[in-house]
Amino acid sequence: MNTKTFNDTFLKACKGENHGHVPVWYMRQAGRSQPEYRKIKETHSLFDITHDPELCAYVTKLPVDQYNNDAAILYKDIMTPLPFIGVEVDIKSGIGPVIDNPINGLSDVEQLGEIDPEHDVQHVLDTIKLLRTQLDVPLISFAGAPFTLASYMIEGGPSRNYHKTKAFMHAEPEAWQRLMDKLAKMTIDYIKAQIQAGAQAIQLFDSWIGAVSVADYKRLIKPVMVRILSEVQTEDVPLILHGVGTPHLLSEWKDMPVDVIGIDWRTTVSEARRLGINKTLQGNMDPSLLLAPWPVIEAEAKAILDEGMESNRFIFNLGQGVFPEVKPETLRRLTAFVHDYSSEKKQQKG
């Protein structure tokens, strides 16, 4: 284990325990905005990096070392387990995940297999084990949630409207339920293996769930989410649920078996609290503002912190991921501001 003192501020915030400053990490903090990463990508694909535990650990740890963040998130993709159940995924630059054999009906769903984590994603587990010997902050790992994974599997790639997916939910109810069951089993097995390898928190990315209505969510998606979260909750690590464009779903999320709810810039911390969410909140700076002058960034961060620090249950993050144009120096400066401002404010409160 690293000889430096272990920084458990993030884990304390997940549990609502007292801590000295507001913890901060950034979604997609490892990767596209870092020149060291872009240099690696000149000769290595995402597949190459994630299948080389030492290189993947380096990429994962790099932003922690550069920005002084309070948590690391494993460098990989939500699509990682899908090829092992029979989904042909190609991550295309500038496009995202593209699937050549999209789901069209029940027969396609029935052909999907099961994942054997110890065999299929051993490279992921080995990277987690390696990072636990290198990091002095908690390691977050993650999985994609069933709706978001299904949207790629049905649409064949990224979508702006999810027309095919939402039509499939209603037109093929048996196939949809079977698909949810299969993806739930895969996700549970995948998450448990990552926790057993040493992951200290798990984030479930339901990135595109904001596209569905409350009624559809309650009937067609929430039951499978509760099943997944309930089964992995027994592993006793913090569980984070995050999506984009989800203000209308927060009232459904507040009673789900998660420790942390991620919100984006469409919902303020105060608004989430008024909905009765007493769990730890994570968010919620608009990543677009990272291109603005520093006084704008500082003012926004201060406003978010002033709301978030009404409770110990707050983690500073972005409402969505870091994008390539963001300068590493901006993230370094933002992290330092969050630490300094929140530490001073906590000291003033006594």
Side-chain angles (χ1 to χ4, degrees):
M1 180 60 69
N2 197 303
T3 56
K4 288 179 65 178
T5 303
F6 186 76
N7 172 6
D8 63 353
T9 309
F10 165 80
L11 295 176
K12 286 182 175 179
C14 289
K15 300 172 185 175
E17 298 174 355
N18 288 330
H19 47 280
H21 64 262
V22 169
V24 52
W25 69 278
Y26 307 110
M27 287 178 283
R28 285 193 179 270
Q29 65 187 21
R32 299 177 295 175
S33 68
Q34 296 177 293
E36 297 91 341
Y37 171 78
R38 289 199 291 268
K39 185 69 175 176
I40 292 170
K41 283 286 284 181
E42 291 176 7
T43 55
H44 295 75
S45 67
L46 183 147
F47 181 91
D48 295 334
I49 297 170
T50 56
H51 281 72
D52 182 337
E54 290 193 4
L55 186 57
C56 190
Y58 168 77
V59 171
T60 299
K61 189 170 179 283
L62 189 61
V64 177
D65 294 338
Q66 289 188 345
Y67 310 146
N68 196 30
N69 293 346
D70 297 285
I73 185 163
L74 185 62
Y75 175 83
K76 60 186 177 77
D77 193 89
I78 63 170
M79 313 304 283
T80 295
L82 290 186
F84 304 105
I85 66 169
V87 181
E88 299 168 12
V89 182
D90 184 16
I91 309 294
K92 295 190 175 180
S93 180
I95 299 175
V98 176
I99 294 172
D100 291 332
N101 56 335
I103 298 291
N104 290 307
L106 182 59
S107 62
D108 295 327
V109 176
E110 293 294 1
Q111 290 178 28
L112 298 174
E114 294 189 3
I115 192 173
D116 176 2
E118 294 294 335
H119 177 266
D120 296 334
V121 291
Q122 188 61 54
H123 55 288
V124 173
L125 309 183
D126 287 345
T127 305
I128 291 172
K129 293 172 185 176
L130 179 59
L131 279 162
R132 285 299 307 274
T133 71
Q134 298 177 345
L135 289 167
D136 51 32
V137 297
L139 175 62
I140 306 166
S141 198
F142 62 90
F147 173 83
T148 291
L149 294 178
S151 74
Y152 288 106
M153 295 166 69
I154 294 168
E155 305 282 343
S159 173
R160 292 184 177 180
N161 46 50
Y162 307 97
H163 290 328
K164 293 180 182 178
T165 307
K166 292 194 283 185
F168 190 95
M169 288 165 57
H170 293 275
E172 301 275 358
E174 182 183 357
W176 177 259
Q177 185 57 55
R178 189 76 178 112
L179 179 58
M180 290 294 98
D181 289 342
K182 281 181 172 278
L183 290 176
K185 174 68 164 59
M186 180 197 76
T187 303
I188 291 166
D189 292 345
Y190 184 43
I191 288 175
K192 284 188 173 183
Q194 293 178 84
I195 293 172
Q196 289 160 12
Q200 292 158 284
I202 293 290
Q203 179 150 310
L204 200 55
F205 281 95
D206 213 349
S207 306
W208 314 131
I209 194 63
V212 305
S213 68
V214 173
D216 284 352
Y217 187 80
K218 290 173 70 171
R219 185 169 67 90
L220 299 171
I221 298 156
K222 187 176 181 178
V224 75
M225 292 295 293
V226 171
R227 173 188 160 193
I228 292 169
L229 293 165
S230 297
E231 290 206 31
V232 299
Q233 193 179 42
T234 61
E235 301 295 321
D236 199 30
V237 304
L239 302 177
I240 308 167
L241 178 58
H242 178 80
V244 178
T246 57
H248 61 303
L249 299 178
L250 293 179
S251 293
E252 297 301 318
W253 284 9
K254 70 180 182 181
D255 64 349
M256 289 170 65
V258 296
D259 303 281
V260 182
I261 292 176
I263 56 175
D264 69 14
W265 59 94
R266 298 170 181 85
T267 306
T268 67
V269 175
S270 296
E271 287 168 345
R273 294 296 186 208
R274 285 196 291 272
L275 290 172
I277 298 176
N278 297 316
K279 301 176 188 292
T280 297
L281 291 171
Q282 177 177 278
N284 63 330
M285 177 176 276
D286 186 340
S288 299
L289 295 183
L290 296 176
L291 297 183
W294 173 251
V296 174
I297 298 172
E298 182 180 289
E300 179 66 12
K302 182 178 180 294
I304 292 170
L305 288 166
D306 285 344
E307 290 192 11
M309 292 182 67
E310 293 298 317
S311 164
N312 280 326
R313 293 185 174 275
F314 179 67
I315 297 163
F316 190 93
N317 207 316
L318 306 175
Q320 203 170 7
V322 176
F323 51 94
E325 293 81 5
V326 176
K327 294 179 180 178
E329 176 55 37
T330 301
L331 295 175
R332 185 182 303 114
R333 190 173 182 182
L334 178 57
T335 303
F337 175 78
V338 172
H339 286 168
D340 293 345
Y341 181 79
S342 63
S343 177
E344 183 178 338
K345 190 168 182 179
K346 281 179 176 285
Q347 289 175 4
Q348 289 172 354
K349 284 184 175 182

